[in-house]
Amino acid sequence: MASPFQSHLNTNYSPSDIEKLQITQFVKGLQDELKTLDTELEELRSRLVATEDQLNPSPDVGLTGVEQRITVLSTTREQQIHSIEQHTALLNPIRSIPTDILQSILEHCVNEPVPFASTELDTDPMSPQVCPMLLTFVCSSWRRVALDCPSLWDKPYIFLPEKRSARHVRWIEVLKNRAQLIRLWLSRAGIRPLTIAISSPQGLKTNDGFHAVEEAIISFSPRWKRLRVEGSNCILQTLLSLPASSVPNLEFADFTHDFFPDAEEVDAAIGRPNCLISSPSLRGVRLAGESLRKFQLIPLPWSHLRDIRFGKLIEPHENSSSDREILELLEQCPRLQRCELYAPTGRVLQEARYHNPVILRQLTHLEFNQALNTLNQDIILNMTMLFLSLKLPALTTLKYSSLVGAESLGALLQRCAGTLRHLDLRIHGISARELLDMLAQTIQLESLKLVHPFRRGRPSPLLTDEFLNGLTPPNEEEGNPAAQSFEFYCPSLRKIVLHVTEDPRISDEAIFDFIRGRRELDRPTLQHVEIFHPYHGRQGDVFAMLRERGVNTGDMTLKF
């Protein structure tokens, strides 16, 4: 049967509704013909079998003709099935999906870039082996849709390869080819704002190929919205030297650089009055490698910043900062919503600013870090006066890392206990009783994570049965009929994560009592319990205890 759709077979043609009806009818005709062929083939095969069973077949049976006929019909049958499959493919729903919906599907195939100033760069570099470039190899229609979808191309991770070949000329050619790819890639983003991550090998030196890459990236600077660069100092120096007027839409900048070679040139570029990160559109900045004192001197639009990170600052002794300078810096950022602080190494405040505190009305996320790798706790400064000089009326998330400082942590929690919902502590010098007393006012706390910072050799005075018992509501079976009305610590707790690395460990009985007590409340909130102990081998005991006592954990995540 001749097909009126022969020219559309094996293409991406999308038939109209009328054509779909015609194709359906045509396929039905092919299927009817296929049934007729199957019937005739069945009769011929039966006749062939009957003939072979005869002891003395007559010479006029025509055995050769039957076999030939079966061969012809079998070939026709295969062609018929292939034609049905080709025409049925024209009815595939993917052909009828509107372009905007297909674009949305393709957008979900592309990994979103990692959050600003996270610890790792994106994992998918510009490569034909991953999306979005991989999508252009599926078929011509998908290629057309992908190339016409700017949102697939506005978040590139530009990775500059290391020099692996002894031939310097060959490596320069590789960089020049990468520059051409960058221009092509970014041009496909149209007029959309760009989120760019750049990673380059340490110690990369300038050459013609490197300059080609620089020019390709910088030619799109008016559309930069988020920029993250780590690796070689030479590319950092070039980008930081750009005038603020060349990046009118830059909102977030994240730069991590080495201290050699060319570190002095990077420092000089950061300190220029009209450097890239002085753009008035900037709302967030992270600099890893600079001292806090120099950081203060950068002409940033401080009053407009919403996100600042002092990323693992390396401070020369003669240039050490103080918590007074931290307060002065924070005072310039009234719109701050997120802040990462590393403890200074200089002098500390002798008296808190009770009468003139720094008020950060919009700050919701605070991360405070003190050195966890030092063996001399005497050089770790007490931040109590700094924290008592702050007012944090909107803080909901706190991450705190320190070897010492029950007093400092207590002062900080005192400023935000009423609003705090998420608490992440990596601490050593604090007892279970001290922390429980600090948590007494955190009635809205929903998630709690505690990590012992040492792997072995220093027992934790915090991660013990005493602490978990303090979070456990009394049970009616223990002779307390008023258990349900008892005001226990952190009544809104939904998630708890404890990383124990040394004895004394938390017992299975304490874990069981905590889960049972929380789950048997009139309105249980606990949903996630994770207690990690690398030397604890009886992982199934708690599960068995919960099953035996009939504790309902069906909607919970439990990891021991």
Side-chain angles (χ1 to χ4, degrees):
M1 182 184 298
S3 172
F5 303 99
Q6 187 66 38
S7 61
H8 300 313
L9 300 181
N10 300 318
T11 69
N12 296 314
Y13 180 71
S14 178
S16 64
D17 291 341
I18 295 178
E19 288 176 323
K20 288 179 182 179
L21 293 175
Q22 295 173 347
I23 294 172
T24 302
Q25 294 174 356
F26 184 79
V27 170
K28 186 178 183 305
L30 294 177
Q31 291 171 340
D32 291 340
E33 291 181 2
L34 183 62
K35 290 180 181 178
T36 302
L37 288 173
D38 288 340
T39 301
E40 186 175 351
L41 279 170
E42 185 177 355
E43 292 176 353
L44 289 173
R45 291 191 178 106
S46 299
R47 180 181 172 187
L48 182 61
V49 171
T51 302
E52 292 176 346
D53 289 342
Q54 294 178 8
L55 295 177
N56 298 307
S58 57
D60 61 346
V61 168
L63 182 59
T64 303
V66 172
E67 291 177 337
Q68 292 177 349
R69 180 62 175 167
I70 290 176
T71 301
V72 172
L73 291 179
S74 296
T75 302
T76 304
R77 184 179 185 277
E78 292 177 359
Q79 295 173 347
Q80 202 79 347
I81 292 175
H82 182 61
S83 181
I84 291 174
E85 292 175 348
Q86 287 180 311
H87 286 81
T88 302
L90 292 174
L91 301 175
N92 196 309
I94 192 65
R95 296 171 179 265
S96 303
I97 293 181
T99 300
D100 57 339
I101 296 179
L102 180 58
Q103 286 181 341
S104 180
I105 294 174
L106 298 186
E107 287 173 352
H108 283 80
C109 297
V110 179
N111 290 335
E112 284 294 315
V114 294
F116 170 70
S118 64
T119 56
E120 296 181 357
L121 278 173
D122 308 67
T123 56
D124 292 341
M126 296 189 302
S127 168
Q129 299 177 351
V130 296
C131 297
M133 194 177 295
L134 182 63
L135 299 173
T136 64
F137 301 136
V138 175
C139 62
S140 60
S141 65
W142 278 37
R143 175 178 177 80
R144 183 173 57 255
V145 172
L147 295 180
D148 291 340
C149 184
S151 58
L152 294 178
W153 310 93
D154 62 357
K155 298 175 285 289
Y157 170 27
I158 301 173
F159 176 75
L160 302 183
E162 296 184 32
K163 181 183 178 182
R164 297 182 178 179
S165 172
R167 296 178 57 191
H168 185 68
V169 175
R170 171 60 180 162
W171 184 54
I172 292 177
E173 289 302 317
V174 170
L175 291 178
K176 288 182 177 180
N177 291 336
R178 186 60 55 92
Q180 292 179 1
L181 174 61
I182 292 171
R183 287 185 182 276
L184 176 62
W185 190 292
L186 297 181
S187 66
R188 292 173 177 173
I191 61 173
R192 288 181 62 86
L194 299 174
T195 296
I196 299 179
I198 305 172
S199 177
S200 58
Q202 306 292 346
L204 178 67
K205 294 294 185 180
T206 59
N207 54 57
D208 291 343
F210 175 76
H211 288 314
V213 170
E214 281 185 330
E215 292 173 1
I217 297 174
I218 293 174
S219 64
F220 293 88
S221 63
R223 300 216 315 272
W224 292 353
K225 181 178 180 181
R226 295 170 179 260
L227 179 65
R228 181 176 187 183
V229 184
E230 70 172 21
S232 173
N233 288 341
C234 61
I235 191 169
L236 263 175
Q237 179 186 350
T238 300
L239 296 180
L240 284 168
S241 299
L242 293 176
S245 59
S246 66
V247 286
N249 297 304
L250 185 64
E251 294 184 4
F252 295 96
D254 181 355
F255 296 137
T256 302
H257 71 277
D258 299 326
F259 301 100
F260 55 85
D262 305 324
E264 294 181 358
E265 287 79 0
V266 173
D267 292 345
I270 291 177
R272 288 175 185 151
N274 190 35
C275 68
L276 176 141
I277 53 177
S278 66
S279 172
S281 62
L282 201 67
R283 295 296 177 266
V285 63
R286 174 180 179 268
L287 295 177
E290 278 302 299
S291 71
L292 182 59
R293 188 183 301 274
K294 290 185 180 180
F295 193 42
Q296 286 181 297
L297 299 177
I298 298 173
L300 289 165
W302 294 104
S303 62
H304 297 289
L305 291 182
R306 300 194 301 262
D307 191 331
I308 57 175
R309 318 284 178 97
F310 310 144
K312 296 184 179 179
L313 305 174
I314 306 299
E315 301 176 290
H317 178 71
E318 67 277 5
N319 197 32
S320 59
S321 57
S322 69
D323 53 3
R324 184 183 303 277
E325 290 171 331
I326 290 182
L327 284 176
E328 292 173 354
L329 187 148
L330 294 177
E331 202 165 20
Q332 299 180 63
C333 308
R335 301 184 182 181
L336 202 59
Q337 298 176 5
R338 183 185 180 104
C339 180
E340 178 182 338
L341 289 174
Y342 274 77
T345 58
R347 298 178 303 277
V348 298
L349 292 173
Q350 300 300 314
E351 183 178 352
R353 291 172 45 175
Y354 291 111
H355 302 293
N356 184 28
V358 175
I359 305 176
L360 301 174
R361 302 184 186 278
Q362 301 181 34
L363 187 69
T364 60
H365 187 114
L366 174 62
E367 182 172 347
F368 178 81
N369 299 280
Q370 278 187 317
L372 296 178
N373 57 354
T374 180
L375 298 178
N376 184 3
Q377 295 188 2
D378 293 335
I379 67 173
I380 301 178
L381 303 183
N382 189 320
M383 296 288 103
T384 302
M385 295 304 162
L386 168 65
F387 296 144
L388 290 177
S389 301
L390 297 174
K391 275 195 175 182
L392 311 171
L395 194 70
T396 59
T397 301
L398 172 63
K399 296 180 68 176
Y400 184 93
S401 300
S402 178
L403 293 182
V404 297
E407 182 183 3
S408 297
L409 177 60
L412 183 54
L413 288 176
Q414 178 184 336
R415 318 308 284 175
C416 60
T419 59
L420 198 63
R421 295 182 180 272
H422 309 284
L423 179 60
D424 185 336
L425 301 177
R426 186 178 175 88
I427 52 178
H428 173 68
I430 186 172
S431 68
R433 185 70 265 163
E434 287 174 324
L435 182 57
L436 287 172
D437 290 341
M438 296 177 194
L439 296 178
Q441 303 301 320
T442 58
I443 58 175
Q444 297 191 57
L445 193 68
E446 297 179 1
S447 69
L448 174 63
K449 181 177 180 179
L450 303 179
V451 178
H452 185 222
F454 299 108
R455 288 194 174 275
R456 304 192 71 172
R458 300 190 187 183
S460 170
L462 171 59
L463 298 174
T464 62
D465 284 1
E466 179 185 1
F467 178 73
L468 204 57
N469 291 338
L471 299 177
T472 302
N475 193 280
E476 292 181 354
E477 296 181 5
E478 298 174 353
N480 184 3
Q484 293 290 325
S485 61
F486 178 78
E487 294 184 1
F488 50 91
Y489 296 110
C490 308
S492 302
L493 195 65
R494 300 175 60 86
K495 177 179 180 179
I496 184 169
V497 178
L498 307 178
H499 282 220
V500 187
T501 57
E502 189 59 72
D503 289 335
R505 68 187 59 177
I506 298 177
S507 67
D508 289 343
E509 291 75 15
I511 299 172
F512 165 75
D513 290 339
F514 168 74
I515 296 175
R516 181 184 64 172
R518 290 277 177 166
R519 294 295 292 179
E520 292 183 351
L521 294 172
D522 289 340
R523 295 181 178 179
T525 60
L526 190 66
Q527 297 292 322
H528 184 112
V529 177
E530 179 179 344
I531 300 179
F532 175 77
H533 197 309
Y535 313 110
H536 185 193
R538 300 177 300 163
Q539 298 180 356
D541 292 357
V542 176
F543 291 105
M545 296 167 68
L546 292 171
R547 286 195 300 268
E548 291 174 1
R549 299 300 297 270
V551 179
N552 180 15
T553 60
D555 59 343
M556 291 188 64
T557 299
L558 301 175
K559 298 180 181 180
F560 307 123

